[in-house]
Amino acid sequence: MVVLGTKVYVTGDARDRALDGLRSLVANELGELDVEFDVGHRKDDFPTVTVDGPDATVARNLLREEFGEVVTTHEAGETYVGTLDSWDDDGFVLDVGFGQTVRIPAENLDLGQGSPEQIRKRFGLVQHMPLRFVAGDDPRLADEEVDRLYDWTRGNARVNANSVTRSEARATVNRAGHAQDIVTVERIGLLEQSIVCNPDTDAPGLLSDIGRFMPSELLAVVP
């Protein structure tokens, strides 16, 4: 079984849709392999995928690569994934599953000047989005995570959202009449999406227009 490094924290029909979407994603990922799988959902909101069959080991590794995996123990110096749970003046707190959290001190975010709250908004870090970190007595964001976030501020503007699947985000943009104003919707977690704007699209304006259709936290990333 693999406990995926992305959360399903919505309830009711929204949860059912999210888990159905996850089943489709897993099926596409494992389509060429000789396995059967079952998707579950834990009390801590992390979904699970149980895999059986001759290619089970390969399948589990593919799932870990695609979604990340939360694990019970962390070795110093190794990279793991958690989801952004909360933040304060002292740093970010990541939910790493199994009832555990990891605090990334403000000085270890490596994302430039400002308070953790200011950094969170500047880089579009919506609550629950997966973030990679290096474990140890003094945890820090992983270099590859820092590079990814800085890349967001150097390219096209973005609007990041949580509590919504990729297909729902696309549909909302279309409903708001902005299909021509975006390049794509990138999946950054099962329920966290990054709407990549065209070069001439005003991200705060797009955020304002789609916000009334989307019960999500929305943050604009402006280069």
Side-chain angles (χ1 to χ4, degrees):
M1 182 177 72
V2 180
V3 184
L4 303 184
T6 184
K7 294 178 79 169
V8 178
Y9 42 84
V10 291
T11 59
D13 290 343
R15 175 180 291 178
D16 293 339
R17 291 194 300 272
L19 292 175
D20 285 344
L22 177 58
R23 290 185 187 95
S24 296
L25 290 173
V26 173
N28 289 338
E29 193 71 25
L30 306 184
E32 302 299 318
L33 300 179
D34 186 7
V35 294
E36 295 181 353
F37 70 88
D38 182 64
V39 171
H41 184 259
R42 291 157 41 106
K43 290 182 179 179
D44 61 4
D45 288 335
F46 285 96
T48 62
V49 182
T50 303
V51 184
D52 292 302
D55 294 333
T57 299
V58 175
R60 293 187 195 102
N61 288 335
L62 282 173
L63 293 173
R64 292 180 181 111
E65 182 177 343
E66 177 66 20
F67 298 100
E69 180 184 24
V70 295
V71 294
T72 54
T73 58
H74 302 131
E75 295 185 17
E78 296 297 320
T79 300
Y80 301 93
V81 65
T83 62
L84 181 60
D85 186 67
S86 62
W87 49 91
D88 54 31
D89 289 343
D90 296 324
F92 290 169
V93 176
L94 307 185
D95 185 345
V96 295
F98 303 95
Q100 302 178 78
T101 59
V102 169
R103 175 176 285 277
I104 310 296
E107 61 270 21
N108 290 355
L109 296 176
D110 294 328
L111 292 172
Q113 297 298 313
S115 68
E117 171 67 5
Q118 291 169 330
I119 289 171
R120 186 183 84 87
K121 289 184 175 179
R122 184 164 70 246
F123 288 92
L125 307 184
V126 292
Q127 188 179 28
H128 304 303
M129 73 170 279
L131 292 171
R132 290 164 289 183
F133 68 97
V134 177
D137 293 335
D138 195 26
R140 60 179 176 85
L141 282 185
D143 292 343
E144 57 265 39
E145 193 66 75
V146 172
D147 290 344
R148 175 177 72 143
L149 297 178
Y150 270 120
D151 283 344
W152 285 0
T153 66
R154 298 184 183 115
N156 291 14
R158 296 169 177 261
V159 174
N160 291 349
N162 65 10
S163 304
V164 63
T165 65
R166 186 167 182 248
S167 61
E168 289 169 343
R170 281 184 176 275
T172 300
V173 170
N174 292 344
R175 181 182 177 190
H178 286 283
Q180 74 282 0
D181 295 322
I182 73 166
V183 177
T184 189
V185 178
E186 292 181 1
R187 184 183 297 108
I188 52 178
L190 187 62
L191 290 173
E192 298 80 38
Q193 317 302 328
S194 188
I195 302 166
V196 183
C197 300
N198 280 327
D200 57 351
T201 299
D202 176 59
L206 177 65
L207 184 156
S208 177
D209 284 354
I210 67 176
R212 56 199 171 104
F213 300 113
M214 193 179 288
S216 308
E217 180 185 21
L218 298 169
L219 293 175
V221 183
V222 180

